[in-house]
Amino acid sequence: MNTKTHSTESSDSKCVAYGQQVQQLFELNTPAEMAEHLWEIYSGFQSFDQETGFNPRKLNIFYTFRDLLIFCQRIEAMKVA
């Protein structure tokens, strides 16, 4: 069965909603502060991971960290421009 779900929401309104969520996120901390927090979280994870042994999700966690860090850096660059 191949069913498609249709959203009544336009892609423009989704972009606006995403933008509002990002704006709210960065009202709490600047993108640079968020990047610093991400480094602290990831460093703590690395320390914990070394103590506990093998983690099959380690690579996926790194990619998520990296993508979030790049996202913060892009937002910071947008604020400067």
Side-chain angles (χ1 to χ4, degrees):
M1 179 181 208
N2 188 7
T3 61
K4 293 183 179 180
T5 58
H6 296 282
S7 173
T8 58
E9 193 173 22
S10 73
S11 61
D12 287 343
S13 63
K14 283 184 181 180
C15 288
V16 169
Y18 288 141
Q20 289 171 340
Q21 291 299 310
V22 170
Q23 182 178 2
Q24 287 177 359
L25 177 66
F26 289 114
E27 285 175 357
L28 300 173
N29 294 293
T30 67
E33 290 170 333
M34 289 288 261
E36 183 66 30
H37 294 170
L38 286 169
W39 275 111
E40 290 175 21
I41 292 167
Y42 189 72
S43 296
F45 163 75
Q46 287 290 78
S47 295
F48 175 77
D49 195 54
Q50 288 177 359
E51 292 175 16
T52 59
F54 178 72
N55 182 349
R57 295 181 39 216
K58 187 173 186 170
L59 188 60
N60 290 337
I61 292 168
F62 169 75
Y63 286 138
T64 300
F65 160 75
R66 182 199 64 185
D67 292 345
L68 286 169
L69 191 61
I70 290 169
F71 176 76
C72 288
Q73 291 169 339
R74 287 180 179 160
I75 297 296
E76 182 71 22
M78 290 172 65
K79 291 180 94 174
V80 172

